[in-house]
Amino acid sequence: MNVRHVRLIASYSARYSVRGGIGLVFLLLSLTFGLIVAHSMLQPVEIAAAEFSKRARNADQQEARERALEVITEQAHPIVAWMLTPGGSAAPDAATKAAADDWADYLLQDRPALLSAIFLILLFGWPFVLAFGAFDLFAGDIGSRQLRYQLLRADRSSIFFGRLLGLLITFVCVLLLLGVTVTAYMGLKLSVYSWPALLGWSAYGTLALVVVSLPYVALCAWLSVSFGSSFASLTFASLVIGGVPLFAMLGRSQWEPAGYLSYVLPWGFQTRLFHHEPLQVALAVGGCALQTALFTWLGHRKFTRRDL
């Protein structure tokens, strides 16, 4: 592997992915998804604030928003606590319920509640959006045999890691743009939180999304190498990403240990990136790193052995 070749391929891949048709659609899809989630979180607060202002005619608009946000946050607390309960159990024990309540208090009371809710939704929806941007990393060129021309100038390892690095750079830029857009939209539309609090928690949430993206990108790269068809790559990537939590949920209803199937991908521990205990965050980061290394190794192994 040549480091200089990796840098050149990564630079070209990052620039081309933004200009290409799939890259532009992925960018628009990411921003649209983020703004829809943000709007769906802000709209109930605006409606509740308007209702509160009607009932209390002399109430200040800012006071009405703060009161509406307080009521909605209180109502959302049980839902968030359930989402954070390991396995999503409907009847957790007392210790598990207390831990989930403390975790929900951290996200809804100590941090900007609406931004926490937005990042939780993005955390569960982003892998599906990501698959649309990563499915054609190699599949299209393998099917059309265009990679053989690159093999005349660079080795297989340089091509694989260069393209993978370029895709990661693109995703980091898109997530940064998404984080800035959502934060600006919330700060300008609903001036309840201070800008330092919004910017700090948004930066952390964006970093968490970058970390959780790594295993899914590596998985999509492996699947893209394994198929010589873009359609097949997209189909299998979507089925795997969506099938793991689905089968884990269905299996848990019949046999409790089957729920551990969700740990095959970050689904089982990715919410712990927003945990209030540093140890839990470190374990989640470590799990993402291990899965990234495994899927990257499998993808590189397949790429260096298959017929191009």
Side-chain angles (χ1 to χ4, degrees):
M1 183 175 65
N2 189 303
V3 177
R4 179 174 175 272
H5 288 169
V6 171
R7 289 202 305 265
L8 289 174
I9 295 173
S11 175
Y12 175 79
S13 178
R15 284 185 279 113
Y16 175 76
S17 62
V18 176
R19 296 199 308 264
I22 294 178
L24 290 175
V25 173
F26 168 70
L27 177 61
L28 293 176
L29 182 63
S30 301
L31 294 178
T32 302
F33 174 60
L35 289 175
I36 288 176
V37 172
H39 179 70
S40 65
M41 291 293 102
L42 296 181
Q43 190 176 32
V45 178
E46 293 287 340
I47 294 175
E51 291 294 330
F52 183 79
S53 298
K54 288 180 181 178
R55 282 179 293 190
R57 296 182 179 179
N58 296 327
D60 180 68
Q61 185 67 23
Q62 183 68 17
E63 180 185 352
R65 288 179 177 176
E66 292 177 356
R67 176 58 182 161
L69 180 60
E70 181 182 346
V71 172
I72 291 177
T73 300
E74 184 178 350
Q75 294 175 348
H77 187 280
I79 301 175
V80 174
W82 174 81
M83 291 176 62
L84 300 176
T85 302
S89 176
D93 55 63
T96 302
K97 186 177 184 303
D101 287 338
D102 291 341
W103 191 357
D105 287 337
Y106 167 74
L107 294 177
L108 299 178
Q109 303 296 337
D110 299 342
R111 302 295 179 183
L114 290 179
L115 199 55
S116 296
I118 289 173
F119 277 123
L120 283 177
I121 297 175
L122 290 177
L123 195 65
F124 286 99
W126 176 250
F128 298 99
V129 179
L130 180 149
F132 188 83
F135 75 94
D136 200 31
L137 183 59
F138 297 103
D141 288 340
I142 290 176
S144 61
R145 299 286 182 176
Q146 293 185 14
L147 282 175
R148 1 178 231 185
Y149 301 106
Q150 293 189 27
L151 292 174
L152 298 175
R153 296 179 175 270
D155 60 278
R156 294 191 177 210
S157 295
S158 298
I159 295 174
F160 178 83
F161 288 108
R163 287 198 173 195
L164 183 61
L165 180 60
L167 184 64
L168 289 174
I169 293 173
T170 301
F171 279 6
V172 169
C173 293
V174 171
L175 284 172
L176 288 174
L177 181 60
L178 178 61
V180 170
T181 303
V182 170
T183 304
Y185 179 76
M186 175 176 292
L188 296 174
K189 188 174 179 61
L190 191 69
S191 56
V192 175
Y193 306 109
S194 65
W195 280 104
L198 281 177
L199 293 175
W201 192 232
S202 176
Y204 180 87
T206 302
L207 179 61
L209 288 175
V210 170
V211 171
V212 83
S213 297
L214 298 179
Y216 292 109
V217 171
L219 172 67
C220 290
W222 175 32
L223 295 176
S224 184
V225 168
S226 302
F227 299 97
S229 166
S230 300
F231 178 77
S233 176
L234 176 60
T235 302
F236 274 89
S238 301
L239 288 176
V240 171
I241 292 175
V244 166
L246 177 62
F247 283 115
M249 181 182 64
L250 295 177
R252 188 186 300 112
S253 62
Q254 302 296 326
W255 187 47
E256 189 68 24
Y260 290 106
L261 178 64
S262 62
Y263 288 86
V264 173
L265 290 177
W267 290 113
F269 54 85
Q270 61 187 16
T271 54
R272 296 184 181 273
L273 291 169
F274 291 94
H275 206 280
H276 56 286
E277 296 181 3
L279 178 60
Q280 296 294 333
V281 177
L283 290 175
V285 172
C288 289
L290 288 176
Q291 291 185 353
T292 301
L294 174 61
F295 295 141
T296 301
W297 176 77
L298 290 172
H300 178 260
R301 181 174 178 269
K302 181 67 176 180
F303 187 76
T304 54
R305 296 186 177 187
R306 73 161 297 158
D307 179 25
L308 299 178

